[in-house]
Amino acid sequence: MNTESYDRTKDVKQFDDAKTGVKGLVDAGITTIPRFFIQPPDILSDLRPNSTTPTDLELIPTIDLSGFDHSDQRQTIVENIGRASRELGLFQIINHGIEVDALERVIKAIKGFHEQPVDVKARLYRRDINSSIAFFSNIDLFHSKAATWKDTLQLKLGPTLPELDEIPEICRNVVVEWNQNVTKLADVLIGLLCDGLGVEKRRMEEMNIVEGRMMVAHYYPYCPQPDLTVGIKSHTDPGALTILLQDQKGGLQVKFGDQWVDVKPVPGALVINIGDLLQIMSNDEYKSIEHRVLANRVREPRISTAVFLTPSGWDSFYGPLAELVSSEKPAHYRQFTYTDFMRRFHTKELDGKSLINYYRLLKTE
């Protein structure tokens, strides 16, 4: 192949201008993926598509939240969540208070949105990260080394919802319901996580740490060459906490040491992962987790939605909580505004933990 004749910028712009996303390529019947989706050699060598590494169910715990509001059960739940947040940064929860039917409605509505006619979706296709609602493919399309095989509907849920008529009708009622459910669950989770740190919950509430809620609803179509690309590259989430609903097809992996481990879907469960901001505020007590999604090998699309819980006060300063800093354990990070934090996130490609390391004062093992 003559690399000198390849105009990547032209191909990327043509793809973006079409406003049809990755699904549009699949619908057009392609059998090979466009060149700008092919990942660099270092990523491809790490994919191990034929790996037989089993899911370690003890490594990725499923925590039952039943009785979280009763003192007897609560202490056990706090210990389990605290252990998972310190050792891995991710866990699954069941009996979380959201009915299975509600979870299924979310998956169905997301699938419905992405499978609408092209002209309907194209009205929302945009790259303005400040928009309340946007449909796009690859948020980092123009500054990444390679694109990934997914499309996304993004909705800003908090601190206040967009006007109802702005939310696509096909998923409007479900989004409103999901926002209510996630808001209640976030309050429960922050309380449990604060207990695990020995920090009063009001400290997080005063900082409005989860008032900003951003929903990203991903659609991973079938990929004809899944060994050459990924669904999402390895990264950590920048916010405080992420609540993820995935369907039962799998594909999500987390990095544990040098090994990638499958996060096997559990019926009725939600995946919870610690974000960079909570790792910083906990002064490295809790760990944000590197994760990725493999390209979809099956004909049916994979559906997932993540709600990123973030501060609503973007101009406020954040850093390690004072009560978690001492002479024995000094602050590991400098103070920063969340505006600066997110500006850096949106001007680089997804690439592991480089964002959190930028703010680090001390090198830790």
Side-chain angles (χ1 to χ4, degrees), residues 163-353:
E163 295 294 327
L164 290 183
D165 59 1
E166 292 183 54
I167 303 174
E169 183 177 3
I170 196 168
C171 58
R172 184 178 302 155
N173 293 337
V174 169
V175 166
V176 172
E177 178 188 36
W178 189 236
N179 180 52
Q180 294 170 342
N181 283 329
V182 168
T183 301
K184 292 176 184 177
L185 179 58
D187 182 68
V188 171
L189 290 170
I190 286 297
L192 295 168
L193 287 160
C194 283
D195 283 0
L197 290 171
V199 172
E200 291 188 21
K201 181 184 174 186
R202 65 174 179 79
R203 288 284 280 120
M204 296 291 188
E205 293 172 340
E206 288 168 355
M207 302 179 79
N208 299 314
I209 199 66
V210 295
E211 291 301 307
R213 297 179 300 281
M214 181 69 78
M215 174 179 173
V216 289
H218 297 311
Y219 183 95
Y220 301 86
Y222 164 72
C223 181
Q225 293 179 297
D227 297 345
L228 295 182
T229 192
V230 292
I232 297 181
K233 283 173 283 192
S234 172
H235 69 286
T236 57
D237 294 338
L241 200 66
T242 301
I243 299 174
L244 172 73
L245 168 63
Q246 61 173 338
D247 64 16
Q248 299 300 300
K249 294 181 180 63
L252 174 64
Q253 295 186 324
V254 296
K255 197 168 191 178
F256 186 71
D258 294 328
Q259 186 179 49
W260 284 101
V261 179
D262 295 324
V263 181
K264 184 178 179 180
V266 174
L270 293 168
V271 179
I272 309 298
N273 68 272
I274 304 297
D276 289 342
L277 187 63
L278 190 52
Q279 174 170 337
I280 290 170
M281 295 181 70
S282 72
N283 206 26
D284 285 337
E285 281 292 313
Y286 292 159
K287 304 294 191 293
S288 61
I289 180 74
E290 282 191 62
H291 53 288
R292 70 182 184 186
V293 176
L294 301 179
N296 182 15
R297 294 173 171 271
V298 301
R299 292 288 176 176
E300 279 294 307
R302 177 184 185 267
I303 309 295
S304 72
T305 182
V307 176
F308 302 122
L309 304 174
T310 65
S312 57
W314 279 42
D315 292 329
S316 299
F317 280 85
Y318 296 90
L321 294 172
E323 49 267 65
L324 298 177
V325 175
S326 66
S327 57
E328 292 77 24
K329 188 174 183 181
H332 291 179
Y333 302 91
R334 59 187 173 88
Q335 298 281 320
F336 54 86
T337 65
Y338 198 65
T339 297
D340 180 66
F341 194 70
M342 291 306 295
R343 183 184 297 118
R344 291 186 180 279
F345 175 77
H346 285 297
T347 53
K348 69 179 190 66
E349 66 174 331
L350 298 178
D351 59 353
K353 302 194 79 162

